[in-house]
Amino acid sequence: MNKLLGNAPRHPGLWLDNIRDPDTDWQYAPISCVPTQTQGRHELIQLSTQLAQLSQQGRWVVLINPPSIGYKQLLTSAGVRMDRILLVHAKDEVETLWAMEKALTSGTSSAVITWTTSLDARDNRRLQIVAKSARAMGIVLEEVNNHLHDKVHLEQHTHFKQPTFFNSVH
């Protein structure tokens, strides 16, 4: 039997055919791109309890280019430790993606939330590459123009409502 396998990998885990659902197993899809028409306010409300839990762990919750949507009051009322919030104000899209990449891979952050305009194919590919070495949960809130309103409602992002969205981050 050993002669038949030759140099083939022998670890039994390699032969399992596990199909992972990225909505329930965030470790295999650590960066979520979410279109928003509320400048991320609605999404931040949905995430606020998880962000409160993460802020108690002592790692940074990084907000990159947050708009003036009252996020400070929203996070404070949800119980987020404001001394664990790190604000980054980037001057352009290149700097925004660079800051997100560094925050995700540094090991000092538990969540990174970025506000940006729509990402092109190159930027999406860059995020896919970063996702492979990310040590934190990443969320990109993409601004959606009003003429795209109908397309946004076709795709519902319900994975924020799950109570275990951020529970495994240490």
Side-chain angles (χ1 to χ4, degrees):
M1 176 86 174
N2 285 339
K3 291 182 181 183
L4 291 175
L5 287 176
N7 290 331
R10 293 192 174 106
H11 190 279
L14 293 174
W15 306 112
L16 297 177
D17 188 22
N18 291 336
I19 299 173
R20 297 181 177 104
D21 182 8
D23 288 341
T24 59
D25 196 357
W26 66 267
Q27 291 177 338
Y28 299 102
I31 300 176
S32 301
C33 293
V34 182
T36 181
Q37 288 196 327
T38 61
Q39 294 185 322
R41 183 172 176 77
H42 179 68
E43 291 78 9
L44 205 55
I45 290 169
Q46 290 179 329
L47 291 169
S48 61
T49 46
Q50 288 87 3
L51 293 175
Q53 292 172 355
L54 290 175
S55 70
Q56 302 303 322
Q57 295 176 359
R59 292 173 64 194
W60 293 109
V61 175
V62 182
L63 305 179
I64 302 173
N65 289 342
S68 298
I69 56 172
Y71 65 88
K72 290 178 186 176
Q73 296 82 7
L74 191 143
L75 294 175
T76 302
S77 66
V80 176
R81 284 180 48 195
M82 294 309 286
D83 64 330
R84 299 313 313 159
I85 298 293
L86 181 63
L87 292 178
V88 177
H89 296 286
K91 63 181 177 184
D92 57 19
E93 292 297 314
V94 173
E95 198 172 278
T96 299
L97 290 176
W98 179 84
M100 182 175 194
E101 178 181 341
K102 293 302 175 188
L104 285 169
T105 58
S106 70
T108 60
S109 306
S110 53
V112 180
I113 303 173
T114 303
W115 283 260
T116 186
T117 57
S118 295
L119 299 175
D120 60 11
R122 180 180 167 270
D123 294 337
N124 279 322
R125 179 64 184 139
R126 179 177 176 181
L127 289 178
Q128 289 173 1
I129 293 169
V130 169
K132 292 178 181 179
S133 59
R135 297 181 182 180
M137 192 63 205
I139 299 169
V140 178
L141 298 172
E142 295 180 293
E143 290 181 20
V144 177
N145 296 331
N146 288 334
H147 70 279
L148 298 176
H149 181 71
D150 295 332
K151 288 184 181 178
V152 175
H153 289 293
L154 293 176
E155 185 177 348
Q156 296 293 324
H157 294 278
T158 57
H159 57 277
F160 288 137
K161 296 178 184 175
Q162 295 178 1
T164 60
F165 187 63
F166 284 122
N167 284 354
S168 297
V169 177
H170 300 287

